[in-house]
Amino acid sequence: MAWFLSVLFAFITNKKVVFGSADMALHTLLKESISFFTLRGASLLADTAILFVGLTLLKGSPIIVKIIDQIVVIALNYVFSKHIFA
């Protein structure tokens, strides 16, 4: 539930504030929201994979692995958002 609500908030924020997308047609909202949630799901999978590999397989330092993870996930989310609202 927390993930869904945070992604919903990110979608609204990205649409309105960050990218200034004014198209509020139902078709556009559905297309953008489905794409946004799908790509955020992909970044969640990347997040999980990076943490698994870094912590479980490589036995890395939790703080270092998390920092690397967050840099990658933030970059992915930015690129994904630019793709949706471009």
Side-chain angles (χ1 to χ4, degrees), residues 16-81:
K16 297 262 186 196
V17 179
V18 177
F19 297 107
S21 176
D23 190 349
M24 298 299 286
L26 181 59
H27 178 268
T28 302
L29 280 173
L30 284 174
K31 180 182 172 233
E32 289 177 348
S33 64
I34 289 169
S35 293
F36 193 86
F37 273 85
T38 300
L39 293 173
R40 286 296 168 109
S43 70
L44 176 62
L45 290 175
D47 179 35
T48 303
I50 292 167
L51 291 174
F52 175 75
V53 169
L55 297 174
T56 305
L57 301 180
L58 299 177
K59 307 287 190 223
S61 165
I63 191 73
I64 300 299
V65 172
K66 190 61 180 172
I67 289 170
I68 292 167
D69 169 61
Q70 286 302 290
I71 291 169
V72 171
V73 170
I74 289 168
L76 279 174
N77 286 336
Y78 176 78
V79 170
F80 290 162
S81 292

